């Protein structure tokens, strides 16, 4: 099966990036949002990003308009009924995701695939909420989506080979690289990344170095494009804490325990770039 049209549920940072890369690759995409204002914000971000592409001469103004014309924004789920695949990218909350999965499963075509952009929730559990566990898969994008090369393609317990192959082909078509992994807490990306971020927060809490020096060590010594504390701010400190809680609870190894300082900054409402302050300030 080849995917000729996609629906994306959600209008947050990840959903917006996913809609953009699909449309830029010539794929018609229905974007389902909860409110008109969240949809308008998402469309404005996509237009701004594409406009930068025009200014940098990576695309023409006509390409930009063509991409924008492929996005069909809606607040109604019935718009997804005709698409070959639905990518769920709503907030990282099992209750919210479960509601979306059940609704989507009722509406989409029999052979449609349902993918989740989750970074920590079990694909196997999400699949079990549907009538098509063989056609449920993880499609884990990275922030900022228009820039990052990887899509972690996550195979749930029941995911079919055909679903994996179709998702990998779509990933390649939108200019990204699919890497297949099995469903396990944190997959590969966050199982490796989050302990590094957590350890950087322990270094800060224990006074091993300043926030700037912790990040400089990893940037200059390890060639990371940004330091772990700045990266945590980009991802969202609440998201990092949630993922660490999942690793800690579901793998059961104390090495994943979230640093108390991470809990404290989240409790203070310092969530990183999105709230204007995390380990660094962004005002
Ligand atoms: N949206 C769209 N494009 C963006 C962007 C955004 N939010 N942020 C940066 N860009 C683009 C810029 O426009 C720029 O392109 P042009 O100038 O050619 O138009 C290009 O990216 C480089 O940006 P900058 O020059 O401003 O900055 P930089 O060279 O320092 O790169 C970065 C910024 C791409 C974010 C880089 O620092 C980086 O790769 N950081 C690591 C990001 C990372 O690890 N992400 C994964 C997080 S984990 C995750 O997402 C999954 C999870 O489950 C938690």
């Amino acid at each position: 099966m080849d995917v000729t049209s996609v629906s994306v549920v959600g209008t947050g940072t990840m959903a917006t990036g996913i809609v953009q890369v699909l449309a830029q690759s010539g794929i018609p995409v229905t974007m389902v949002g909860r409110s008109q204002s969240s949809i308008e914000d998402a469309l404005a971000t996509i237009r701004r990003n594409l406009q930068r592409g025009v200014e940098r001469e990576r695309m023409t103004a006509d390409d930009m308009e063509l991409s924008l014309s492929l996005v069909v924004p809606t607040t109604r789920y019935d718009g997804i009924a005709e698409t070959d695949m639905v990518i769920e990218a709503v907030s990282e909350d099992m209750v919210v995701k479960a509601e979306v999965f059940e609704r989507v499963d009722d509406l989409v075509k029999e052979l449609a695939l349902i993918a989740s952009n989750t970074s920590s929730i079990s694909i196997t559990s999400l699949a079990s909420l549907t009538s098509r566990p063989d056609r449920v898969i993880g499609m884990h994008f990275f922030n900022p989506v228009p820039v990052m090369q990887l899509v972690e393609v996550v195979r749930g317990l029941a995911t079919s080979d055909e679903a994996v192959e179709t998702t990998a082909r779509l990933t390649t078509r939108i200019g990204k690289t699919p890497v297949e992994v099995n469903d396990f807490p944190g997959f590969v990306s966050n199982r490796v990344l989050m302990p590094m971020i957590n350890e950087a927060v322990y270094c800060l809490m224990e006074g091993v170095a300043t926030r700037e020096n912790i990040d400089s060590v990893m940037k200059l010594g390890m060639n990371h494009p940004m330091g772990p504390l700045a990266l945590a701010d980009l991802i969202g400190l609440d998201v990092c804490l949630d993922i660490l809680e999942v690793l800690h609870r579901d793998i059961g190894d104390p090495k994943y325990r979230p640093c108390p300082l991470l809990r404290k900054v989240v409790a203070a409402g310092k969530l990183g770039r999105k709230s204007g302050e995390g380990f660094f300030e962004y005002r």
Side-chain angles (χ1 to χ4, degrees), residues 233 236-238 265-266 268-283:
D233 282 351
L237 301 186
D238 51 339
V265 286
V266 171
K270 297 179 182 183
L271 306 181
R273 284 196 194 192
K274 62 187 169 188
S275 72
E277 188 177 351
F279 292 114
F280 295 93
E281 294 80 34
Y282 301 90
R283 289 198 180 88

Side-chain angles (χ1 to χ4, degrees), residues 208-221:
V208 180
T210 61
R211 58 188 186 173
E212 289 81 7
N213 285 354
I214 292 167
D215 273 12
S216 292
V217 166
M218 300 306 288
K219 279 196 291 185
L220 304 179

Side-chain angles (χ1 to χ4, degrees), residues 58-193:
R58 282 193 296 262
M59 65 169 68
T60 65
D62 285 349
D63 292 337
M64 174 175 109
E65 291 307 329
L66 178 63
S67 299
L68 288 170
S69 73
L70 291 173
V71 181
V72 181
T74 174
T75 52
R76 294 167 56 94
Y77 270 76
D78 46 7
I80 71 176
E82 293 310 312
T83 52
D84 298 327
M85 183 171 198
V86 177
I87 303 175
E88 168 278 309
V90 300
S91 60
E92 201 63 5
D93 176 330
M94 186 55 176
V95 176
V96 179
K97 285 196 191 293
E99 199 190 311
V100 170
F101 262 70
E102 282 163 358
R103 244 171 129 175
V104 167
D105 186 43
D106 282 345
L107 279 168
V108 285
K109 295 192 271 197
E110 195 192 333
L111 293 179
L113 298 180
I114 310 178
S116 175
N117 177 55
T118 182
S119 47
S120 60
I121 290 172
S122 159
I123 298 301
T124 308
S125 308
L126 290 171
S128 72
L129 300 170
T130 72
S131 60
R132 63 187 80 219
D134 56 319
R135 271 165 280 134
V136 173
I137 193 160
M139 204 175 179
H140 185 205
F141 288 83
F142 292 79
N143 186 10
V145 176
V147 180
M148 303 304 282
Q149 190 62 45
L150 174 66
V151 174
E152 219 176 9
V153 174
V154 186
R155 186 190 272 272
L157 198 62
T159 309
S160 68
D161 290 344
E162 196 193 344
V164 172
E165 283 154 22
T166 303
T167 305
R169 270 202 305 280
L170 175 69
T171 303
T172 307
R173 193 171 153 207
I174 61 175
K176 309 268 178 220
T177 304
V179 176
E180 187 188 330
V181 306
N182 288 319
D183 186 23
F184 215 83
F187 316 132
V188 170
S189 53
N190 282 321
R191 183 157 175 182
V192 175
L193 175 64

